[in-house]
Amino acid sequence: MTTAGPTHVGIRVRAILAGVLLCGVIAVGLPYGEFVLNGTQMGLNSSTPAAFFLLFLLVALVQPVLGAIRPGWSFTRAELLSMSVMMMITTAIAGRGFVSIAIPIISGVGYFATPENDWADLLVPHVPTWMTPQSPSSIKGFYEGLSEGESIPWGTWVEPLAWWFVFMIAFYTVVVCFMVVMRRQWMDHERLLYPLTQVPLSMVQDGRSPGRPFLRQPAMWVGASVPCILHGINGLSHYFEFIGTLEPSHWFTLVPNLVTLHLRFDCMWTGLAYLVNTSITFSLWFFFLLAKLEQAFFVRIGVFNTEGLDIFSHTSHTGILSHQVLGGMVVMVMLGLWTARRHLWDVVQHVWRNGDRSDAEELISYRVAVIGVLSGVAVMGCWLWSSGLSLWAVCLFLAAAFIIFFALTRMIVEGGLAAAVQGMSGCGVLVSSLGSTALGVKAVVASGMTLAWAGDLLVFMMAPCANGIRMLHGLGRYRRRILVMMALAMGIGLVGGVATIIVLSYEYGANNYHGSWAWFAREPFRFAANLARNPTGPNWDGWLWNGVGAV
């Protein structure tokens, strides 16, 4: 028995339709599960668990049934991989990757402006009207729910969402094209492991693959039973008081009430660590413990970072470490690009070279990829400039944001991390490096709005995209259909996820969602209002600690 169907057939239209259906399930299911059911968040990290869960159901349940009815009906390996990548992309958009954070931010400034915080006078005049819904009654209904008989005011949302979609399409174009460019360097030259891709690749192995099929491996079922039993018991404990919880964890106190070390048995991380080189896992442990000890040392001697940046920049008692992480990321990216210099020069030459091309196996030709990166960055830059950032601030912000994205993606691709967060956000880097006085209130507000897509990076598009392009390697002959499927997945994630949240909010009221909704909605404006009232200059201590991290 194999998990993939006939291998001589390409990617058929029905596979595209099946992928669209599965992406629709994710686009609707992620917001509904998070905000209405308050259940497990299946799109909370860059391993895109919702995508892999549906892939498992597809391989374990649907595929055998289709094969039993008629062998030609089962999906091919190329189709399964393409549908998997579609689901990964939608998962990275429809949840915390964009939609679940962007919609609170887009709608929040008008609703949460009060006489006490004075946002109406301090911030609202600096927010472009095309970025946010302008009808107070529509926003009130969004947060408090509609009365019986009222209809959803879709017209209020059309203009701001259209402009945000333009920006995100440009951003995703840059991400896909850049990851296509880096695929050969990371996979062929540096031979990175891509640990997060190993399980889905094993699921869809075909008859030509050596070894026992995925679903017939006893060790797989034994391993899968552990989290099922553990989380099943913990889930039942919420409904039946006589069932206790199983929480294999322990807190160690390094500095009372300030610095703790939390050791916890996590099934997912344990399984992923099995796929990673031991030298890498040792490095992760070593530097994590070193950072904890450094944090405890600074707290003991009373050294704190007092910057008033956004919450995603982690500038409280861990602020010094955040700057060090940023410096380390800059060096990591610079070394990575230097190592890839020959490959990147070859890519650039493909822009004008007609013969002797080496990009036949890629999803996109290098010429198109380079043009896509440049045009996408240009659109992003114009959009950010229109939102209130000066051109030089746009350049610095985009450089910082893409350094962070690139560094985190490299960590996930090489280290198999399900999630990795930045030390500072691009917004925090901009304000810390230059100071709010040099930027002005309008630019500070505009930088705060970037937290919608460059703030909380538990899940972000670049990492699933890198893993997806690795999974699709070797399927270049189907590139046109694959690119169509990827574009459909992005569109479903954006439009489907946003539409689902809007419908749910007017039905149930966004005020009834869990606390992080209001937190996300307020954070950019709390941050901007604080800097508007208390202007700052460049943080020279931050520059120093950036240098320490770089060293």
Side-chain angles (χ1 to χ4, degrees):
M1 174 183 175
T2 60
T3 55
T7 59
H8 63 279
V9 182
I11 298 176
R12 293 161 290 187
V13 174
R14 66 188 188 90
I16 300 177
L17 296 177
V20 167
L21 176 62
L22 292 170
C23 288
V25 171
I26 292 174
V28 174
L30 287 185
Y32 187 82
E34 179 178 358
F35 296 118
V36 177
L37 298 181
N38 285 322
T40 301
Q41 297 186 35
M42 298 290 285
L44 191 58
N45 60 58
S46 292
S47 70
T48 58
F52 290 157
F53 176 70
L54 289 181
L55 177 64
F56 177 79
L57 294 182
L58 184 63
V59 170
L61 301 179
V62 178
Q63 188 79 333
V65 172
L66 292 177
I69 296 175
R70 187 173 180 179
W73 285 8
S74 57
F75 294 109
T76 67
R77 180 176 184 274
E79 290 172 335
L80 290 171
L81 288 174
S82 301
M83 289 188 287
S84 177
V85 173
M86 285 184 72
M87 292 186 288
M88 290 165 61
I89 290 173
T90 301
T91 303
I93 297 174
R96 289 283 284 271
F98 175 67
V99 172
S100 295
I101 297 179
I103 299 303
I105 290 176
I106 293 171
S107 62
V109 63
Y111 185 78
F112 290 104
T114 64
E116 290 75 19
N117 60 36
D118 197 30
W119 289 359
D121 295 326
L122 194 64
L123 303 180
V124 172
H126 299 289
V127 179
T129 56
W130 52 266
M131 290 185 72
T132 61
Q134 296 300 303
S135 171
S137 60
S138 297
I139 295 301
K140 181 178 180 180
F142 180 82
Y143 276 88
E144 300 175 8
L146 294 174
S147 301
E148 187 175 354
E150 290 186 288
S151 59
I152 297 176
W154 291 103
T156 302
W157 294 88
V158 171
E159 182 182 7
L161 289 179
W163 284 112
W164 278 96
F165 286 172
V166 167
F167 180 87
M168 296 309 296
I169 290 171
F171 174 52
Y172 295 149
T173 299
V174 174
V175 167
V176 172
C177 291
F178 190 48
M179 289 299 97
V180 167
V181 168
M182 294 304 299
R183 199 280 315 163
R184 173 168 293 177
Q185 174 65 26
W186 284 354
M187 183 177 171
D188 297 343
H189 299 333
E190 299 184 42
R191 298 186 180 278
L192 301 187
L193 297 177
Y194 291 84
L196 293 181
T197 68
Q198 301 307 309
V199 173
L201 286 173
S202 298
M203 287 187 194
V204 301
Q205 61 185 335
D206 54 35
R208 297 172 298 179
S209 303
R212 182 177 296 181
F214 181 79
L215 295 178
R216 290 193 172 185
Q217 296 182 25
M220 187 280 294
W221 290 107
V222 172
S225 66
V226 175
C228 288
I229 294 173
L230 179 62
H231 295 300
I233 293 174
N234 289 335
L236 290 173
S237 68
H238 291 286
Y239 300 96
F240 304 99
E241 295 182 358
F242 62 88
I243 299 179
T245 59
L246 297 177
E247 297 181 359
S249 64
H250 186 73
W251 290 88
F252 294 92
T253 300
L254 301 181
V255 178
N257 301 320
L258 289 174
V259 182
T260 58
L261 179 64
H262 185 201
L263 296 183
R264 179 170 63 96
F265 173 71
D266 187 287
C267 297
M268 179 179 67
W269 288 95
T270 303
L272 292 175
Y274 175 77
L275 303 172
V276 182
N277 188 291
T278 54
S279 61
I280 295 177
T281 54
F282 171 78
S283 297
L284 294 173
W285 260 105
F286 175 80
F287 285 106
F288 173 76
L289 292 176
L290 179 64
K292 280 294 183 180
L293 292 175
E294 184 180 0
Q295 179 185 350
F297 172 75
F298 283 127
V299 170
R300 280 293 189 186
I301 64 176
V303 176
F304 291 89
N305 187 298
T306 57
E307 285 183 285
L309 302 181
D310 62 284
I311 195 67
F312 302 115
S313 292
H314 311 291
T315 50
S316 54
H317 57 276
T318 61
I320 292 175
L321 294 178
S322 297
H323 280 285
Q324 292 182 32
V325 169
L326 175 64
M329 283 184 168
V330 172
V331 172
M332 174 188 289
V333 172
M334 294 301 103
L335 288 177
L337 295 178
W338 175 255
T339 303
R341 64 190 183 279
R342 291 187 178 88
H343 168 68
L344 294 176
W345 175 241
D346 180 64
V347 169
V348 171
Q349 287 181 312
H350 276 71
V351 175
W352 59 79
R353 182 196 303 170
N354 291 321
D356 190 25
R357 304 185 66 86
S358 59
D359 56 358
E361 295 183 352
E362 306 297 343
L363 287 179
I364 304 173
S365 70
Y366 287 153
R367 177 182 297 165
V368 173
V370 171
I371 294 173
V373 169
L374 295 178
S375 58
V377 169
V379 171
M380 294 176 67
C382 291
W383 196 96
L384 291 170
W385 173 72
S386 299
S387 72
L389 290 174
S390 60
L391 289 178
W392 57 270
V394 167
C395 294
L396 178 58
F397 171 80
L398 286 178
F402 278 106
I403 284 174
I404 292 168
F405 286 132
F406 186 86
L408 293 179
T409 301
R410 172 67 187 240
M411 295 175 194
I412 291 170
V413 165
E414 186 172 9
L417 302 176
V421 295
Q422 75 279 26
M424 299 181 70
S425 67
C427 168
V429 173
L430 182 65
V431 174
S432 179
S433 301
L434 302 177
S436 63
T437 302
L439 293 171
V441 176
K442 186 175 181 65
V444 170
V445 172
S447 68
M449 297 292 282
T450 66
L451 297 177
W453 59 278
D456 184 6
L457 299 184
L458 282 173
V459 54
F460 59 102
M461 174 59 76
M462 190 175 284
C465 183
N467 284 321
I469 289 173
R470 159 64 182 92
M471 291 166 59
L472 295 171
H473 179 60
L475 303 179
R477 59 191 179 278
Y478 310 127
R479 67 173 66 183
R480 290 187 178 180
R481 291 206 168 186
I482 289 175
L483 291 174
V484 168
M485 294 172 79
M486 293 175 68
L488 287 171
M490 292 178 187
I492 293 170
L494 284 173
V495 178
V498 168
T500 299
I501 283 189
I502 290 177
V503 170
L504 293 177
S505 298
Y506 281 110
E507 174 69 23
Y508 298 101
N511 278 337
N512 294 313
Y513 296 157
H514 58 69
S516 65
W517 176 281
W519 185 69
F520 286 136
R522 292 188 178 100
E523 178 58 22
F525 311 106
R526 179 208 62 80
F527 153 79
N530 179 54
L531 292 174
R533 297 188 183 98
N534 305 287
T536 62
N539 182 10
W540 300 114
D541 288 344
W543 280 99
L544 171 64
W545 290 113
N546 290 341
V548 172
V551 172

